[in-house]
Amino acid sequence: AQSVTQLGSHVSVSEGALVLLRCNYSSSVPPYLFWYVQYPNQGLQLLLKYTSAATLVKGINGFEAEFKKSETSFHLTKPSAHMSDAAEYFCAVGSSSNSNSGYALNFGKGTSLLVTP
Amino acid sequence: DAGITQSPRHKVTETGTPVTLRCHQTENHRYMYWYRQDPGHGLRLIHYSYGVKDTDKGEVSDGYSVSRSKTEDFLLTLESATSSQTSVYFCAISDGSQTQYFGPGTRLLVL
C-alpha cells in the first residue's frame, strides 16, 4: 500500500521568504507523486507531478519539487512566497498496482500555508 | 479546467434520509472517483468507477453506494445519512494517466 506523510499541518512564512512543504512517501512499487493546492472553498488544482521522467519537477506558480528516492521524499518549494500562495497543499501518491482503479490516489492530511506581510 | 460539475454544491439534510450527489463530466474520461474531505484527514477515497457499470470500493465505503449508467455521470448515494457523513465531497476524473482532475465539491451537512 502507498501512503504519504506531510510534516507540519500549518506552515507560516513571510512574504518573499522561501516556502518549504514536506512530504514523505511509502510505496512498495515505483510511485507517482503529486502536489495539489486548494484555495478556500474551491476544489483541488494540480500543482505538479512526478512520473519518473525527471527528479526535479517544475509546476505552476513558481513551485517545484524534487523526488529523492534515498530519502523517500517529495518536498515542495518556492523561492519567494506571495500572499496569493496562502492555501492548503496536499501531497498524494498513486500507483498502477490495481489496474481497475486507474491511479487512485492516497492523500496526505494537508499543510495549510499562511503568508504574512 | 477539466469539465467537471457537481450538484448540488450545498445540501442540508436530516439524519436517516437518503441523499444523492451527482458528478458530471464532459471529458469522456474512463475513470471517476468520489472522495470525502475532512479536517485532519485529507481526502479519502469512497468509491471509484473504471467504466460504465464498473465500480469498486475505496477506503471509506461503508454507508455509501455508487452508480454509473453513463460515461459522463457518477452518482454517490448516502443510503441513510448520518452526522458522521457531514463532509465536503469531491469528484475526480482521469483518462487512465496518472493525473486526476477534481470538481468544485459539494458541502453536505447532516443534522
Side-chain angles (χ1 to χ4, degrees):
Chain A
Q2 299 79 38
S3 65
V4 293
T5 301
Q6 292 184 240
L7 301 176
S9 58
H10 294 82
V11 170
S12 180
V13 300
S14 299
E15 192 175 18
L18 171 72
V19 176
L20 171 61
L21 304 182
R22 300 178 186 272
C23 174
N24 288 90
Y25 71 91
S26 172
S27 178
S28 57
V29 297
Y32 298 102
L33 293 160
F34 305 81
W35 277 100
Y36 284 85
V37 60
Q38 183 181 33
Y39 299 102
N41 299 314
Q42 295 187 25
L44 277 72
Q45 179 181 1
L46 180 67
L47 268 181
L48 49 81
K49 65 180 180 182
Y50 166 76
T51 58
S52 77
T55 57
L56 183 61
V57 182
K58 294 187 183 298
I60 61 172
N61 301 339
F63 283 94
E64 64 181 35
E66 185 173 8
F67 174 73
K68 292 187 177 180
K69 185 177 180 179
S70 61
E71 299 177 7
T72 61
S73 69
F74 190 57
H75 301 332
L76 182 71
T77 61
K78 182 174 180 178
S80 177
H82 296 162
M83 297 296 290
S84 60
D85 293 327
E88 188 90 15
Y89 292 81
F90 292 94
C91 182
V93 62
S95 80
S96 59
S97 58
N98 179 348
S99 60
N100 281 342
S101 71
Y103 292 91
L105 300 178
N106 287 323
F107 283 84
K109 295 182 178 181
T111 298
S112 179
L113 177 65
L114 174 66
V115 183
T116 58
Chain B
D1 290 344
I4 312 169
T5 56
Q6 294 184 230
S7 59
R9 293 293 313 279
H10 303 270
K11 186 168 181 66
V12 180
T13 192
E14 294 185 349
T15 299
T17 59
V19 176
T20 296
L21 309 182
R22 180 184 184 232
C23 177
H24 179 77
Q25 61 146 329
T26 58
E27 306 295 322
N28 200 35
H29 283 355
R30 175 182 177 189
Y31 298 92
M32 299 185 75
Y33 308 85
W34 276 108
Y35 294 88
R36 61 178 289 174
Q37 182 181 23
D38 304 289
H41 290 277
L43 279 80
R44 293 178 291 175
L45 182 65
I46 305 172
H47 280 281
Y48 62 91
S49 170
Y50 49 97
V52 173
K53 293 192 168 72
D54 293 322
T55 65
D56 206 346
K57 297 178 179 180
E59 176 189 357
V60 291
S61 60
D62 286 350
Y64 301 95
S65 62
V66 290
S67 65
R68 191 170 178 198
S69 59
K70 303 186 284 186
T71 298
E72 57 266 36
D73 289 328
F74 192 32
L75 303 180
L76 176 70
T77 297
L78 287 65
E79 295 138 8
S80 177
T82 67
S83 58
S84 64
Q85 293 176 311
T86 291
S87 187
V88 182
Y89 291 86
F90 287 100
C91 174
I93 65 173
S94 171
D95 60 2
S97 68
Q98 301 88 1
T99 304
Q100 293 185 20
Y101 299 94
F102 285 79
T106 294
R107 290 187 174 273
L108 176 66
L109 174 61
V110 182
L111 300 175

